[in-house]
Amino acid sequence: RARRAAEGPAEGGRGEGLGTVDLHKKAVGQKASESLVLEGRDNAGMSIVLDGRPGSPDWDCDEDRLPGGIIAARFLCHRAARVRVARLDDAVGGGAEIDVEGSELKVLRGAVSLLRSRAIGTLHLEWWPPHLTAMGEEPIALLWFLHAMRYEIFAPASWFSAPEGSKAAADTQWAMVVPDQFPWLLQRWGDIVARAVPW
């Protein structure tokens, strides 16, 4: 799901100054296509989009694992639904919230034009390294991608004092994460913010 906001986070917090939200019944990804969405078992918010189609050699819900090593038992495979996939470049501008269960880097690869042009000034991302790994991505690559696109990364300030491996509670104070701290960020999960730096 991608949500469009008129403005990004206010200086001291998140969620202030938001404008309207446009909802689109589409998935977002690296390229425009048609794909399948699988609903998470006991958690519809844990839905994922797969590139394969039922009946293809790499997609079999009777197996233990789906493409990318995803554990099939975590999803309602019998409810797979076709979905149109759009590149974020073709769908959104302004600010965006991306929570796509480990496919964040694929979505951002489909938004290179928007990111370069600064049409997306602020990104709110769910940061959960195990999801990225499960989807075949190297979690730190997401951070380096944003850095290469000249986005500053912010994490909840409480992460800097919370025990390793903990999920942060909602936080209204943000601290910048510099590239030397990217490996450290692999031990945290929750929401992060990326804000465009002028070229």
Side-chain angles (χ1 to χ4, degrees):
R1 71 186 178 212
R3 289 184 275 188
R4 182 174 173 230
E7 299 175 23
E11 275 302 309
R14 178 177 170 182
E16 297 169 17
L18 293 180
T20 61
V21 175
D22 298 327
L23 299 177
H24 303 272
K25 191 173 183 174
K26 292 181 183 175
V28 286
Q30 187 169 338
K31 61 184 178 187
S33 65
E34 189 171 307
S35 195
L36 293 168
V37 63
L38 292 178
E39 183 178 326
R41 188 175 302 280
D42 301 321
N43 182 355
M46 185 79 160
S47 299
I48 60 171
V49 175
L50 292 178
D51 293 328
R53 300 197 187 303
S56 71
D58 63 342
W59 203 98
D60 187 355
C61 249
D62 293 331
E63 297 294 322
D64 289 341
R65 301 231 177 230
L66 298 171
I70 298 164
I71 300 170
R74 293 184 181 165
F75 300 93
L76 301 173
C77 294
H78 64 285
R79 288 192 188 169
R82 293 193 187 280
V83 64
R84 295 186 74 67
V85 178
R87 293 177 332 122
L88 204 55
D89 271 345
D90 301 329
V92 170
E97 179 174 334
I98 302 173
D99 178 353
V100 289
E101 307 305 326
S103 294
E104 287 79 7
L105 192 50
K106 291 176 184 171
V107 169
L108 292 174
R109 287 181 189 130
V112 169
S113 295
L114 285 172
L115 298 173
R116 282 190 182 138
S117 71
R118 298 301 189 251
I120 298 177
T122 304
L123 290 163
H124 296 268
L125 298 153
E126 180 183 44
W127 172 250
W128 195 356
H131 277 175
L132 287 156
T133 301
M135 295 303 285
E137 299 286 358
E138 186 63 42
I140 205 164
L142 171 65
L143 304 172
W144 283 110
F145 177 86
L146 289 167
H147 180 72
M149 297 302 296
R150 293 195 37 112
Y151 278 74
E152 295 173 328
I153 298 167
F154 295 84
S158 64
W159 288 11
F160 292 86
S161 60
E164 217 172 272
S166 63
K167 180 171 173 50
D171 203 325
T172 59
Q173 299 296 315
W174 297 86
M176 186 184 299
V177 180
V178 297
D180 288 347
Q181 294 170 314
F182 289 175
W184 170 84
L185 203 55
L186 295 173
Q187 304 304 315
R188 303 284 187 261
W189 53 85
D191 290 334
I192 62 172
V193 173
R195 189 166 41 199
V197 175
W199 290 106

